[in-house]
Amino acid sequence: MSVFGGDASEVYKLGADLAAVGPKAVAPLRGVMEQAGEALAHEWATNAVATSGEHGKHYPSSIDSELVFGMTAIEVEVGPNSAKKQGSMGRGFEFGSVNQPPHLDGLRALDGFQGRAERIIDATVAHLLP
């Protein structure tokens, strides 16, 4: 019996139910995270087209997304790909340099995106919750 006058069986049941959600969520979240990453990369690239000018004409095309899998997470990395033409110039375009002010294209794309991502993820896994 707990100090609150009841037992903890409901808490333990909820804990077991939540532990089972993780494996069930992997497959649906993989596609959702990939789509969210592509959408964010597209917004970032669109912003970069407007700000990079002739000097950075290849920079917007370097912005992409990639799914990253860990033991306990599905993540997506979004940003300039240094393997692509002008991708290594991303830091200078985004945060500025001695030659140009910061463009903040990625930060502007990210602004408000967190709420969208949370709604998408919620819609994807809410039915899995007990």
Side-chain angles (χ1 to χ4, degrees):
M1 184 167 191
S2 78
V3 294
F4 300 109
D7 66 41
S9 63
E10 290 298 313
V11 173
Y12 290 125
K13 182 180 176 333
L14 177 61
D17 289 344
L18 290 175
V21 169
K24 293 176 189 174
V26 171
L29 282 175
R30 182 179 297 142
V32 167
M33 292 299 289
E34 186 170 31
Q35 290 173 359
E38 289 170 358
L40 181 57
H42 177 73
E43 285 188 42
W44 187 336
T46 298
N47 290 343
V49 166
T51 64
S52 59
E54 183 61 27
H55 169 69
K57 65 183 176 185
H58 302 289
Y59 170 64
S61 298
S62 76
I63 299 166
D64 63 17
S65 64
E66 179 181 4
L67 280 176
V68 179
F69 299 96
M71 292 299 289
T72 60
I74 299 173
E75 300 174 8
V76 63
E77 290 182 0
V78 179
N81 183 337
S82 60
K84 294 183 176 182
K85 195 168 189 174
Q86 291 190 326
S88 61
M89 297 170 69
R91 186 177 204 88
F93 280 112
E94 187 68 12
F95 302 111
S97 68
V98 295
N99 300 316
Q100 66 183 347
H103 296 191
L104 305 176
D105 299 319
L107 291 175
R108 288 185 294 121
L110 189 59
D111 188 33
F113 198 81
Q114 180 179 358
R116 280 175 46 197
E118 287 173 0
R119 287 188 298 277
I120 292 167
I121 291 167
D122 183 52
T124 303
V125 298
H127 69 282
L128 300 174
L129 297 173

